[in-house]
Amino acid sequence: MSKKIVLTGITTTGTPHLGNYAGAIRPAIEASKDDNVRPFYFLADYHALIKCQEPQRVRQSSLEIAATWLALGLDTSNAVFYRQSDIPEIPELCWILSCVTAKGLMNRAHAYKASVAENEDAGGNDPDKGINMGLFGYPVLMAADMLMFKANQVPVGKDQIQHIEMARDIATRFNHIYGEHFTIPEAVVDENAATILGLDGRKMSKSYNNTIPLFETEKKFKKLINKIKTNSLEPGEPKVTEGCTLFGIYKAFARETEVAEIRQCYADGIAWGEMKKVLFQKINEEIAPARERYHALMDAPEHIEEQLQDGAAKAREISVPFMQEIRESVGISRITK
Ligand code: TRP
């Protein structure tokens, strides 16, 4: 039986944080251990350029994200782990796909629509102000990512479902015109994946500037945990777990029995300071070994690069011949063999 292709990309614009880890990276690494699965995980650095025009930041983020996945034990003998920009067939496919993509479909993409709405709310006279073609065509590049490797399943957050639906549309249209070349991908949204709240109690996200980086030094990490906002209930006063940032994070790291115990501690009025200690210990115990590997990798970037090159070579064994097939299918080929 051929393996199921599970593919997902990570945009290289920031430093991986606890939310990324519990919500996406940890489940993806778990999934990669399944023998029936062939994972394709990649650094979406071309996607990064859409919203980030700081070269140093894109570079640094690519390095940090790659080091994070490797430090956390991604098995690169099974998983194909690569950098999008090392696969020149992806932007090539993106162009061919964009020629079968209705502009109207892209008009409906919510990331684009949100930017237009913002401009309209601001009352200016250009609804497309500050919007580049990268943002407008973002779903086509994402479709190329998925279709290139015949992804069956694409694990993503809810905000990305629409992009996968668009990829399905684009693939179906291409197949209709040129024959069955593409596999139709399917979005998988893990309802159990933890959504972690940030320092201020909103969803942890680099756009809110409320993140706890995954691999801070232990000291800084502890400091950040201590900064998580709580209410002002005193020690001894009963506390509720629902909506509590500390509890939510704890739940993403602890076993069920431990969670039940903490629930009781809340009812018994655990002090916030004490809960922060418990939380720090719980997370630290899980990530400390990986933190060491992370820093060792960051000190040996050539090792990371080597892994990415290996991944790219594996990916191109697929993308080069497949791109040739696609070119021929649309009528782009040598005149004589
Ligand atoms: N757009 C995705 C995000 O921001 C990242 C991404 C790029 C991706 N290409 C992809 C995800 C292909 C899944 C499949 O989260």
Side-chain angles (χ1 to χ4, degrees), residues 56-311:
Q56 186 44 31
R57 174 141 170 223
V58 174
R59 235 184 326 264
Q60 181 66 19
S61 171
S62 301
L63 174 66
E64 289 175 354
I65 294 175
T68 298
W69 283 73
L70 296 173
L72 289 168
L74 176 68
D75 174 6
T76 50
S77 64
N78 184 31
V80 184
F81 185 57
Y82 57 101
R83 182 167 43 206
Q84 184 186 34
S85 61
D86 280 337
I87 319 297
E89 293 74 28
I90 289 173
E92 186 178 351
L93 179 59
C94 179
W95 174 256
I96 292 183
L97 295 177
S98 69
C99 296
V100 299
T101 302
K103 174 176 175 286
L105 183 68
M106 296 299 100
N107 288 342
R108 292 193 286 277
H110 60 58
Y112 169 68
K113 271 187 15 189
S115 299
V116 171
E118 230 172 77
N119 284 333
E120 281 167 350
D121 289 348
N125 51 12
D126 179 9
D128 279 327
K129 184 164 177 244
I131 298 173
N132 58 45
M133 286 302 292
L135 178 67
F136 190 65
Y138 179 120
V140 191
L141 180 56
M142 209 166 135
D145 289 329
M146 295 178 246
L147 302 180
M148 178 61 83
F149 298 107
K150 301 191 162 71
N152 301 111
Q153 295 193 337
V154 184
V156 282
K158 285 198 186 74
D159 60 318
Q160 298 292 321
I161 296 176
Q162 188 195 32
H163 295 147
I164 290 152
E165 265 151 24
M166 290 177 159
R168 293 166 65 92
D169 264 22
I170 296 168
T172 305
R173 176 140 178 83
F174 186 98
N175 286 349
H176 179 71
I177 304 172
Y178 296 113
E180 293 293 316
H181 294 276
F182 293 126
T183 300
I184 311 295
E186 187 192 325
V188 218
V189 178
D190 183 352
E191 297 292 349
N192 296 320
T195 304
I196 302 264
L197 302 179
L199 296 174
D200 57 358
R202 290 187 291 174
K203 180 181 175 203
M204 189 178 286
S205 159
K206 61 192 167 212
S207 20
Y208 294 147
N209 212 0
N210 65 357
T211 67
I212 301 178
L214 184 54
F215 292 133
E216 274 303 2
T217 60
E218 197 171 296
K219 214 168 131 197
K220 270 205 194 144
F221 190 63
K222 194 181 241 162
K223 251 196 181 154
L224 281 168
I225 300 263
N226 282 327
K227 268 175 71 179
I228 296 174
K229 208 169 119 191
T230 61
N231 59 30
S232 49
L233 291 175
E234 298 289 334
E237 290 187 78
K239 300 172 173 66
V240 289
T241 52
E242 284 71 41
C244 173
T245 307
L246 297 174
F247 182 78
I249 304 179
Y250 187 78
K251 210 167 143 221
F253 285 85
R255 281 189 295 273
E256 253 174 67
T257 50
E258 294 170 317
V259 175
E261 279 165 29
I262 286 295
R263 237 182 246 288
Q264 189 56 48
C265 294
Y266 268 62
D268 295 343
I270 189 175
W272 289 132
E274 180 57 26
M275 180 57 199
K276 286 177 172 175
K277 256 188 226 154
V278 171
L279 179 62
F280 164 76
Q281 265 161 14
K282 189 79 238 156
I283 307 177
N284 199 49
E285 149 195 317
E286 178 169 327
I287 65 174
R291 182 193 289 128
E292 264 183 48
R293 288 193 295 271
Y294 175 83
H295 291 293
L297 282 161
M298 291 296 279
D299 287 339
E302 62 287 351
H303 181 66
I304 302 176
E305 184 56 34
E306 202 180 293
Q307 296 271 343
L308 289 172
Q309 293 294 331
D310 276 4

